[in-house]
């Protein structure tokens, strides 16, 4: 059993026992966010980040959320354990969100029945997630759910003054200066870890100190004067507070986590930072497996985000310059990524282009490697016998109905396909609840293109039920990593038409050498090009000989390079290395 | 607040012990009893005072308790009284602060116009700053510049970037085009809604308009230019919408079962 400091005991008892005296916790001054505050009425900040970018949370709600004493909300009836072999750190994925990454997590847990897994699910707010999308495997013995932006209710905190430790505040300033000047400085990681050590409720850098001390206020003012190129101090103030608030949550999670022999994060970002904290506290190996590149995806979100304000006047505004707050958020996620890469013992990418990207973002080359996805070839291979003669004129897009899958391009392509092949059908097999407005737009487009008879939204489906009935697996995504659905389609004997994203080209045409010699197992087209997507699909569907060749190539490729046991073997070696390191 | 009563009780108990007969007795048993009772009072006082202390003093729980106990034990009654008075005064001060605290008014820092941004680029330079040889961060910034450029200029550039080798550039270009399309869709929806009561929408025409000039074509490519280029015929009147509402009026006609001849001609000719 881990030893606890008196302070951690106190916080533990407060969590477990509502009657634990708490008047001392409530003695916090709220000079900056009470309703009579001079800042509050004019605050223009309307949005806070969410995966974790939350949209629509105002400053008052945020203020209430960050000052709430409780640190997280957990759903009932989740398995708990004191110790696990591998603790998975998951941000916005398994088991509450369906998708490729979640399927991979599920696959990994079930692939190692001899290991006891734990998982920490990090989400934005409870209302952003529905019920579990996966049945929990038997060897998942611990699951904790934590939300970074819940507790939006009122707070009974009473005001009093908080005094900050000068040394700690100086370290905070040093860390920010270093991150600003040179993120690669070796002291960045050390300073971050040492500050997080002080971030417990009774520590010198408690959340109250950050939120309510005069020193923190002065430091924010100083930062604004030195760095901000945006005139709005109010936006600067709230941006800094919102940006830093999750660290205290994550630290609390790190404190109560079960003991683990290995920490395994599936992304950088907040999950990665939790891994950094856990590794620092407990000195256990930390593995990072990235499917997409988190920093890249956040950057793309942020470059397009409409909620980020630009308050420059017409005389200060230069459209060729990214607004200050946009830059600030981007740098923030770059810092999280960099700190995670530096703390990781093994950094795994799905394919070479992603590994190169990790290197650019600061991953040490010697710790990186590629482990591609793998599928259960036997299970999906059995479906080949269920296929009927000929090529079914069914194009199936397997994936969530979300903008990144660019369903609209698929629908537009179907207009052309149906004109040439009237009996062709398009199936869209995936949940629609993640982005209902986008799903409505897709339905609308189907109606306007008069494709109601040809395009079917099937919702979530078992792949084993639909793959024997489809002629092509189509992927119109604008971003992918190494899509499992293509591999699963291959194993079931279904070739693919995919956009040129992620490793799709490698999956269709093979890597140079023996893989390439197998031949094309489908077609690759440019993104957002319905004409090309339709032509490629028609080429395969209308010519049974070409279809058979691509189908055979897909089967050969998946059996030789993407079988599930290869994935498990590689991860088994990593885990064993981690266990041995500890021994 | 119960801690305060316990503390007062301990002080009174201690006082009673020393004012009572035990200090005057000469037996060993009385001596032991006296000091045991005194120690008990001190322990109760130390524990109850500890509860009243601010959280920072309770971080070193055992040492603080021991200090309080020793202080109370060394100076019987007087020590206990002092501890209690100090604790009580501190607590009262803290409560007063809670009850009468007023939010501080803080001054906002001033903003100084900075000259940190040195590079400026006109629209003509955007294309050259988007070529593959340019560093990725400059390309990203140039892409964002396109947000401030009219869509008829920006869209062809963005379309050409959909085939870019860099993932980020491709995705942002797509995102910007998608946002443009969303705006257009909302506009079309609105126009359809306005039109429906007066003029039934021909499905074929609608599908054609949404898909571009031909079914299946990309709205992003043709829609904005189509609508921007379409001009209403002089005197064109849509019931309920007045005369000459420019593009919007023409767009309404595009959805009608029988498009206005002017719009139909342009539709056939393309943008």
């Amino acid at each position: 059993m881990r030893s606890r400091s008196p302070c951690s005991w106190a916080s533990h008892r407060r969590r477990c026992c509502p009657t634990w005296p708490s008047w001392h916790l409530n003695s916090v001054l709220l000079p900056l966010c009470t309703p009579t505050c001079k800042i509050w009425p004019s605050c223009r900040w309307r949005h806070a980040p969410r995966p974790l970018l939350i949209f629509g949370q105002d400053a008052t709600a945020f203020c209430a959320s960050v000052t709430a004493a409780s640190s997280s909300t957990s759903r009932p009836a989740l398995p708990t354990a004191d110790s696990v072999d591998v603790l998975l750190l998951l941000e916005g994925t398994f088991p509450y969100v369906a998708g490729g990454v979640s399927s991979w997590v599920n696959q990994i847990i079930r692939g190692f029945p001899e290991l006891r897994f734990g998982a920490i699910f990090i989400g934005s707010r409870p209302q952003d997630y529905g019920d579990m999308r996966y049945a929990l495997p038997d060897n998942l013995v611990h699951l904790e759910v934590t939300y970074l932006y819940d507790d939006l209710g009122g707070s009974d905190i009473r005001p009093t003054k908080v005094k900050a430790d000068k040394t700690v505040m100086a370290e905070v300033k040093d860390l920010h200066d270093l991150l600003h000047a040179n993120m690669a400085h070796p002291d960045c990681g050390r300073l971050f870890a040492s500050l997080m050590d002080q971030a417990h409720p009774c520590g010198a850098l408690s959340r109250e100190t950050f939120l309510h001390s005069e020193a923190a206020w002065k430091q924010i003012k100083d930062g604004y004067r030195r760095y901000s190129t945006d005139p709005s101090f109010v936006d600067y103030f709230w941006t800094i507070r919102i940006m830093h608030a999750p660290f205290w949550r994550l630290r609390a999670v790190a404190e109560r986590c079960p003991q683990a022999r290995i920490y395994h994060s599936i992304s950088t970002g907040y999950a990665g930072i939790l891994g950094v904290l856990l590794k620092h506290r407990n000195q256990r190996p930390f593995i990072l497996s990235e499917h997409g590149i988190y920093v890249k995806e956040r950057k793309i979100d942020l470059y397009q985000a409409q909620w980020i304000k630009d308050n420059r006047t017409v005389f200060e505004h230069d459209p060729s310059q990214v607004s200050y707050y946009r830059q600030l958020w981007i740098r923030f996620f770059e810092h999280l990524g960099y700190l995670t890469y530096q703390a990781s013992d093994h950094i795994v990418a799905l394919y070479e282009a992603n590994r190169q990207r990790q290197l650019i973002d600061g991953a040490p080359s010697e710790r990186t490697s590629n482990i591609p996805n793998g599928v259960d070839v036997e299970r999906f291979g059995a479906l080949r016998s269920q296929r009927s003669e000929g090529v079914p004129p069914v194009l199936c897009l397997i994936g969530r109905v979300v903008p990144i899958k660019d369903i609209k391009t698929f629908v537009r392509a179907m207009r052309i396909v149906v004109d040439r092949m009237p009996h062709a059908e398009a199936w869209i097999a995936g949940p629609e609840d993640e982005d209902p407005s986008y799903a409505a737009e897709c339905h609308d487009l189907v109606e306007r293109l008069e494709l109601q008879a040809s395009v079917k939204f099937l919702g979530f489906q078992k792949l084993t039920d639909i793959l024997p009935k489809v002629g092509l697996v189509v992927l119109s995504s604008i971003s992918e990593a190494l899509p499992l659905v293509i591999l699963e389609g291959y194993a079931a004997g279904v070739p693919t038409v995919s956009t040129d994203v992620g490793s799709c080209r490698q999956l269709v045409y093979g890597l140079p050498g023996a893989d390439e010699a197998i031949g094309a197992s489908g077609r690759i087209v440019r993104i957002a090009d319905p004409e090309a997507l339709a032509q490629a699909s028609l080429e395969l569907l209308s010519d049974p000989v070409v279809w058979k060749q691509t189908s055979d190539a897909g089967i050969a490729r998946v059996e030789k390079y993407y079988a599930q046991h290869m994935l498990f073997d590689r991860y088994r070696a990593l885990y064993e290395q981690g266990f041995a390191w500890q021994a | 607040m119960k801690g305060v009563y316990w503390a007062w009780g301990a002080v009174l108990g201690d006082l009673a012990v020393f004012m009572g007969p035990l200090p005057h007795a000469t037996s060993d048993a009385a001596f032991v009893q006296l000091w045991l009772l005194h120690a008990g009072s001190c322990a109760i006082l130390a524990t109850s005072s500890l509860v009243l202390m601010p959280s920072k003093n309770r971080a070193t729980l055992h040492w603080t308790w021991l200090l309080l106990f020793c202080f109370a034990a060394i100076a019987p009654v007087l020590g206990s009284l002092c501890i209690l008075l100090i604790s009580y005064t501190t607590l009262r001060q803290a409560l007063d602060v809670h009850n009468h605290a007023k939010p501080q008014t803080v001054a906002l820092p001033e903003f100084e116009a900075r000259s940190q941004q040195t590079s400026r680029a006109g629209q003509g330079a955007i294309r050259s700053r988007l070529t593959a040889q340019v560093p990725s961060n400059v390309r990203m910034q140039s892409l964002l510049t396109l947000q401030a450029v009219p869509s008829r200029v920006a869209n062809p550039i963005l379309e050409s970037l959909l085939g870019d080798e860099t993932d980020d550039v491709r995705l942002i270009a797509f995102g910007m085009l998608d946002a443009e399309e969303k705006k257009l869709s909302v506009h079309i929806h609105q126009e359809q809604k306005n039109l429906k009561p007066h003029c039934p929408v021909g499905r074929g025409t609608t599908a054609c308009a949404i898909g571009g000039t031909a079914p299946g074509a990309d709205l992003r490519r043709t829609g904005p230019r189509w609508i921007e280029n379409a001009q209403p015929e002089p005197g064109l009147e849509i019931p309920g919408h007045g005369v000459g509402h420019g593009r919007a009026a023409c767009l309404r006609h595009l959805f009608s079962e029988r498009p206005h001849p002017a719009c139909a001609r342009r539709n056939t000719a393309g943008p």
Side-chain angles (χ1 to χ4, degrees), chain A residues 519-552:
Chain A
S521 43
R523 294 289 181 267
I524 290 290
V525 297
R526 206 174 81 131
I527 67 165
D529 192 343
E531 182 78 29
L533 190 66
Q535 292 303 338
S537 305
L538 284 166
E539 183 196 345
L540 293 180
L541 286 179
S542 56
D543 189 339
V545 178
V546 177
W547 187 90
K548 184 74 174 62
Q549 283 170 353
T550 50
S551 170
D552 290 344

Side-chain angles (χ1 to χ4, degrees), chain A residues 82 94 120 130-131 141 146 151 154 171 201 275 298 328 349 394 424 441 449 473 490 520-521 570 576:
Chain A
D82 287 336
F94 180 89
I120 309 288
D131 296 330
V141 295
T146 189
D151 294 339
E171 281 188 1
R298 287 288 77 75
L328 193 64
V394 177
E441 283 175 36
L449 293 178
V473 168
Y490 284 171
S521 43
R570 300 285 298 276
E576 279 171 2

